[in-house]
Amino acid sequence: MTREERLARFADKKTFQDWDPGDLQAAFGVKEVVSHPILAEWTSANHPIPAHKIEDVERLGLLMKIKRSAWNETELRNGFISPLLAMIGFEGEGYSTFSERNLTAQVDGITLTGTVDWMVATGSYRPEKPIFFLHEYKQVHVGSPDPMGQALAAMLAAQNENKDGLPVYGCYTVADIWRFILLDGKTYSVSQGYDASDKEEIQIVWSILQETKNRIAERAIAQL
């Protein structure tokens, strides 16, 4: 496929929501690998829930189990995702959280643009170098945006703008199921799904999020 053919083929892709993994692979040459050492290390980190937070985390998991069929996306975000992220605390020296921020990048002549549900990036007043993305969905229906494609498109845009050669981390949730994504160069890998309404698996979600925070803090400090 020539550059002109590639640009013409994907000219109708206006926002992150318009992309799926197959089109991203055809347009930008990214490839999925079943296993990636950085993903394996990231998702296997062991950070137990602090004793004084266990009751609150388990309460959130139970609430998710009760409400997962009734909540819309806003209720899912406000009732479960935001409280869980707040308990981890993704604010620190040199990095901050940002919600509903626009991200745009020209990647190989194609515009990737859209609104990011939630991300952690270096910077205080505006996102400078995005490191971790999270997109949430209530359910996936026929004809609805591809959650994996939307998340990966945003990560590709960030990778292009960061220009530091470092991995970009991501996560998308579909109701109570969390999947984590690692983008490293032209390869990406996706974790298994973790059920946040399950008493055991919510501890894994917590551990991965805590490890994510640790990695963000290390990178932000290195860039100060």
Side-chain angles (χ1 to χ4, degrees):
M1 186 188 306
T2 66
R3 183 177 188 274
E4 290 72 20
E5 289 172 335
R6 185 173 57 83
L7 294 179
R9 174 177 172 181
F10 300 109
D12 64 335
K13 303 294 185 183
K14 303 302 183 184
T15 70
F16 297 146
Q17 293 186 358
D18 296 322
W19 292 92
D20 62 41
D23 284 341
L24 290 168
Q25 179 171 338
F28 306 110
V30 293
K31 294 184 179 181
E32 182 177 8
V33 294
V34 175
S35 60
H36 192 292
I38 297 177
L39 178 74
E41 183 181 47
W42 173 32
T43 57
S44 63
N46 183 24
H47 301 288
I49 301 170
H52 67 284
K53 293 186 178 180
I54 290 177
E55 184 177 346
D56 288 336
V57 174
E58 290 182 347
R59 175 184 54 79
L60 279 178
L62 179 59
L63 185 62
M64 168 66 86
K65 182 173 291 188
I66 295 169
K67 294 287 191 177
R68 58 188 168 189
S69 297
W71 274 340
N72 59 33
E73 285 188 6
T74 301
E75 291 162 347
L76 171 64
R77 181 188 309 133
N78 294 340
F80 181 84
I81 296 174
S82 293
L84 183 64
L85 295 174
M87 279 192 272
I88 296 284
F90 283 90
E91 297 280 347
E93 184 178 8
Y95 65 95
S96 302
T97 62
F98 302 91
S99 299
E100 302 298 326
R101 295 294 186 111
N102 183 263
L103 176 63
T104 299
Q106 283 284 330
V107 184
D108 297 338
I110 297 173
T111 300
L112 288 175
T113 187
T115 300
V116 178
D117 291 347
W118 188 90
M119 65 179 160
V120 187
T122 60
S124 298
Y125 297 100
R126 64 185 61 85
E128 295 173 359
K129 289 189 175 184
I131 302 171
F132 177 58
F133 292 83
L134 189 147
H135 288 265
E136 79 273 349
Y137 306 83
K138 172 59 170 61
Q139 297 289 353
V140 177
H141 303 289
V142 175
S144 62
D146 183 294
M148 176 64 212
Q150 182 175 356
L152 185 57
M155 294 168 68
L156 279 165
Q159 180 190 66
N160 183 82
E161 294 302 286
N162 289 352
K163 293 180 174 61
D164 55 15
L166 298 173
V168 178
Y169 300 88
C171 173
Y172 68 91
T173 72
V174 179
D176 49 353
I177 304 301
W178 292 55
R179 293 183 185 275
F180 295 88
I181 313 164
L182 185 283
L183 174 64
D184 183 28
K186 289 289 188 178
T187 64
Y188 71 94
S189 192
V190 186
S191 76
Q192 68 181 71
Y194 299 100
D195 183 351
S197 70
D198 180 86
K199 189 174 181 179
E200 301 299 324
E201 294 197 3
I202 196 174
Q203 296 183 48
I204 300 174
V205 170
W206 173 281
S207 183
I208 297 172
L209 290 173
Q210 181 62 60
E211 177 66 14
T212 306
K213 177 185 176 179
N214 294 351
R215 293 179 178 223
I216 291 168
E218 289 176 4
R219 188 180 302 185
I221 290 172
Q223 294 179 6
L224 289 177

